Amino acid sequence: ATSKTGIFSVKDYTGYTVGKIVLADKTVKSKDEYTAIDPSNPPVAIICGTNGYGAALGIALHTGSSLVWAEYGSTGYKTEFKSIICTPSQTGSGAAQTATFTGDTDGSDNWEYIKQQDPAGAADAATNYPAFHWVNTYNTTYAAKLGSARPSWYMPSLAELCEVYKNKDKINASLKTIHDILPDGSTYADEYLETSSYWSSSQNSGNDNRAWDVIFGDGNVVYDGKYNFDRVCCLSGF
C-alpha cells in the first residue's frame, strides 16, 4: 500500500565458511591462520552455518550451563507459544544429523515473540526465562573480552541448533585453537562444546510445558520439560 526509497546492501560471504573465527571487526580467519589474540580485535564467534537468507551465522565462544527454559509454574512454563513451534521430521538418537523441519526455523525473533505474549514474565527474565536471560546478557557478561563487538545474540531454533550439531567438529577445532593460545585462554573461549543437552528456543507442539533440545553426545533430538536444566548456546548473524 505504500512505497519507500532506500538502499540495498549486498554482502559477499565468500570466505565465511564453517569453522572460521570471527573477530570483533567482523573479519574472519581460519584456525590455522589464528596464532595470537589481539585484545584490540579479539575473537567473538565461530561461523557455524547460514540462515535462511544465506547470511553467515556465528556461535558465541562461551556456552551457559544448568539453565531452565522457563521457571516451573510461570506463565512461560504453561504457555504454548504457537508462532515459534518447530517440528522435526524425526526424533531420537542421530536425528540432529538428518532431520528436516517445518514451522518456525528462524530463532532470531523468538524472544521478541515471547515478550509480546508474556510481557510481565519477560520483564523479569532472570527469574522466569533464565536460559533466554543468559543469552540476552552475554555481551554484558563478556564485555571485557569482546572488544568493540556487541553482536545481536539469540538462542537458536531447533533447526539452527541441529546445524550447529552437524558442524560441531569444526567449531570445536576453532574453539580449542583460541582456548589454547594463552594460559588464560578460557576467558576468551570454551575448550569445546559439551556433549550434554542444549536448549533450542523452539516450542514443542501439543505440549505447553515442553521445548526442544539436542543432546550433543549422539545428536538426539528430544523435547524436554521447560523446567529442566540444560546448556545454552547463542548465535548471531554476521
Side-chain angles (χ1 to χ4, degrees):
T2 61
S3 63
K4 291 185 178 181
T5 300
I7 298 173
F8 284 101
S9 177
V10 180
K11 185 169 182 177
D12 181 3
Y13 282 102
T14 302
Y16 279 69
T17 52
V18 171
K20 288 287 185 72
I21 297 167
V22 184
L23 305 183
D25 66 359
K26 297 186 180 180
T27 58
V28 294
K29 288 184 178 291
S30 71
K31 68 179 182 62
D32 295 327
E33 294 173 317
Y34 201 70
T35 57
I37 292 174
D38 177 0
S40 68
N41 190 27
V44 298
I46 295 169
I47 300 298
C48 61
T50 59
N51 65 17
Y53 300 100
L57 289 178
I59 184 171
L61 304 182
H62 297 279
T63 59
S65 61
S66 299
L67 295 159
V68 302
W69 202 97
E71 182 65 23
Y72 182 83
S74 67
T75 298
Y77 166 79
K78 55 191 176 183
T79 297
E80 181 186 64
F81 296 103
K82 293 184 178 180
S83 289
I84 61 172
I85 290 174
C86 182
T87 303
S89 60
Q90 60 189 107
T91 59
S93 180
Q97 191 70 40
T98 56
T100 58
F101 305 91
T102 55
D104 177 57
T105 58
D106 179 1
S108 64
D109 57 357
N110 286 3
W111 175 241
E112 290 302 314
Y113 175 75
I114 291 171
K115 289 198 298 182
Q116 293 170 8
Q117 301 303 304
D118 181 23
D124 184 9
T127 299
N128 297 307
Y129 297 95
F132 289 92
H133 178 72
W134 187 89
V135 173
N136 295 338
T137 56
Y138 185 94
N139 284 338
T140 301
T141 302
Y142 296 102
K145 299 300 180 183
L146 287 170
S148 60
R150 294 297 181 270
S152 298
W153 302 111
Y154 65 91
M155 196 193 309
S157 70
L158 177 61
E160 292 167 328
L161 185 59
C162 287
E163 189 74 9
V164 172
Y165 172 80
K166 292 176 188 177
N167 294 317
K168 63 185 176 66
D169 290 344
K170 290 182 178 179
I171 295 167
N172 282 342
S174 292
L175 281 173
K176 185 166 177 57
T177 293
I178 300 168
H179 178 275
D180 289 352
I181 284 175
L182 296 175
D184 64 342
S186 60
T187 63
Y188 283 94
D190 295 340
E191 189 172 7
Y192 49 79
L193 294 172
E194 298 285 347
T195 58
S196 49
S197 297
Y198 284 81
W199 279 122
S200 78
S201 59
S202 298
Q203 171 77 46
N204 172 254
S205 63
N207 293 276
D208 296 358
N209 62 355
R210 298 187 185 275
W212 289 103
D213 63 19
V214 174
I215 301 173
F216 270 44
D218 61 357
N220 194 348
V221 174
V222 60
Y223 56 80
D224 207 354
K226 293 176 180 177
Y227 56 86
N228 283 327
F229 293 87
D230 287 339
R231 299 194 69 85
V232 180
C233 66
C234 44
L235 308 187
S236 180
F238 288 93

